[in-house]
Amino acid sequence: MSDIFVGVDVSKDRLDVALYPEATSWSVPNDEAGIEDLVERLKPLHPARVVLEATGGYQMPAVGALAAAGLPVVAVNPRQTRDFAKAAGLLAKTDALDALALARFAEAMKPEIRPIPDAAAQELDALITRRRQLVQMLSAEKIRLKMAPQRLHKDLNKHIAWLEEALRRLDDKLQKDIRSSPLWREKDDLLQSATGIGAKTSALLVAELPELGRLKRRQIAKLVGVAPMNCDSGRYRGERHIQGGRAPVRSALYMATLSAIRYNPVIREFYWRLRADGKKFKVAATACMRKLLVRLNAMLRDRVPWREESPRIA
């Protein structure tokens, strides 16, 4: 395997590229011609990893082109690479140095290469992101309405009505897109067979957690951010806390878990058993989130709907 590792720092207009351990760097425009040039220059090198940060969508054209060319490209969480740079003493910051830090991160950590979402999956993810933005704007406008003077109510109510209609149309499009794909439709049907998982939560899981059903239970829990992390040192034994992961997925899963605690017999019984053992609400709710996620993962893996008895979990 090649020992060349590539870091690509992404901005709106430019891609800064660095090779490690070779002391080579260059930059190209972040457009079609620049990305094509990047692919052509990297293909003969047969790099072991090409690492970019997930930067608000600006990385997607480059990631798609590199993956299509058969290069081992990975888009990673920027927090991970920033923490790595600090730990490695790479405190100075320029685009070129950031690219080098990414290349060194690729060499040290060798992040796992996951399948790149196809165009339809990326569009579905964009719709989910847009829905989240509309919900946030709608919530903000409703708060403003309560505090605004009477003379502004007409304008605010008009905007609220527009946002509600835009949200309704977007929900309709989401459901239409999911039901038009046999694969997504099967996933949607399986997910919604679990009491507590509604259409909106199912759509978000389909779009933003494509790994569901493909990973083992500990892996999927860690990916979402519901796996308890140890906090021990010497004789000290601290409380376990969840951290990291995919915040939008975790937020949607939390709301689904609150519903499941009330209406899903399996999750409800598990929750009250934990509470009877003296667990605090947040601890019990988090454990229920993890249990629900692990069950959903097993359902999609085995392609079976929700059952009251536990499926085989791996």
Side-chain angles (χ1 to χ4, degrees):
M1 180 180 287
S2 170
D3 292 326
I4 296 176
F5 296 87
V6 183
V8 183
D9 183 69
V10 180
S11 63
K12 181 179 179 180
D13 300 317
R14 195 175 68 181
L15 302 173
D16 286 272
V17 187
L19 306 185
Y20 185 81
E22 295 184 6
T24 306
S25 62
W26 71 91
S27 64
V28 296
N30 190 3
D31 56 22
E32 186 175 350
I35 292 172
E36 184 178 349
D37 180 43
L38 173 64
V39 171
E40 291 305 314
R41 294 183 69 169
L42 291 183
K43 283 175 68 175
L45 301 177
H46 303 289
R49 290 288 191 285
V50 181
V51 170
L52 307 85
E53 289 181 335
T55 53
Y58 291 133
Q59 81 285 357
M60 290 309 299
V63 170
L66 290 165
L71 292 166
V73 61
V74 188
V76 299
N77 188 321
R79 179 178 58 82
Q80 293 178 286
T81 56
R82 283 196 296 269
D83 289 346
F84 173 83
K86 291 177 183 178
L90 306 174
L91 304 181
K93 182 174 176 59
T94 66
D95 292 338
L97 290 175
D98 286 348
L100 178 59
L102 287 170
R104 290 186 59 179
F105 174 87
E107 187 271 339
M109 305 305 296
K110 296 180 178 61
E112 180 184 355
I113 301 170
R114 293 196 178 101
I116 302 299
D118 59 24
Q122 291 177 27
E123 182 179 349
L124 183 64
D125 185 58
L127 290 175
I128 290 291
T129 300
R130 180 56 180 164
R131 186 185 190 281
R132 188 159 54 243
Q133 294 167 347
L134 287 174
V135 169
Q136 291 171 349
M137 288 188 286
L138 184 58
S139 176
E141 288 291 71
K142 287 181 176 180
I143 292 173
R144 293 188 188 101
L145 181 63
K146 295 179 180 179
M147 304 174 63
Q150 188 66 36
R151 62 186 298 181
L152 296 179
H153 281 202
K154 181 179 179 180
D155 183 64
L156 285 168
N157 280 321
K158 184 178 180 180
H159 191 211
I160 287 171
W162 184 91
L163 288 170
E164 289 175 338
E165 176 61 20
L167 188 59
R168 185 194 64 77
R169 291 197 305 268
L170 189 57
D171 283 340
D172 289 345
K173 179 169 177 55
L174 274 171
Q175 286 304 304
K176 182 179 179 181
D177 286 357
I178 288 175
R179 305 308 294 181
S180 66
S181 165
L183 176 60
W184 291 347
R185 184 168 63 247
E186 180 186 25
K187 285 186 175 183
D188 184 51
D189 289 339
L190 292 173
L191 290 169
Q192 291 200 55
S193 71
T195 304
I197 303 295
K200 297 178 179 62
T201 303
S202 176
L204 184 141
L205 292 174
V206 170
E208 300 201 6
L209 194 61
E211 298 89 350
L212 193 63
R214 302 177 185 174
L215 302 180
K216 295 184 178 181
R217 59 191 180 97
R218 290 186 176 86
Q219 293 174 320
I220 198 68
K222 186 176 180 180
L223 181 63
V224 174
V226 295
M229 299 296 178
N230 293 353
C231 185
D232 302 332
S233 180
R235 295 182 179 179
Y236 174 75
R237 294 295 179 268
E239 292 184 349
R240 275 56 173 161
H241 296 281
I242 61 173
Q243 59 182 325
R246 297 182 185 174
V249 175
R250 191 168 58 252
S251 296
L253 187 64
Y254 176 74
M255 299 306 296
T257 300
L258 294 182
S259 177
I261 287 172
R262 295 183 64 186
Y263 302 112
N264 188 307
V266 174
I267 303 301
R268 183 174 63 237
E269 188 275 336
F270 181 64
Y271 170 79
W272 285 112
R273 188 170 76 244
L274 292 174
R275 294 287 280 162
D277 289 341
K279 302 298 184 183
K280 297 178 182 178
F281 166 75
K282 286 189 176 180
V283 174
T286 301
C288 289
M289 288 171 62
R290 185 175 185 274
K291 185 177 182 67
L292 179 59
L293 177 65
V294 168
R295 287 287 298 266
L296 296 175
N297 187 63
M299 286 162 50
L300 264 62
R301 181 201 63 211
D302 298 337
R303 302 174 72 174
V304 295
W306 179 274
R307 294 195 296 258
E308 298 307 317
E309 66 273 14
S310 297
R312 181 180 63 85
I313 294 174

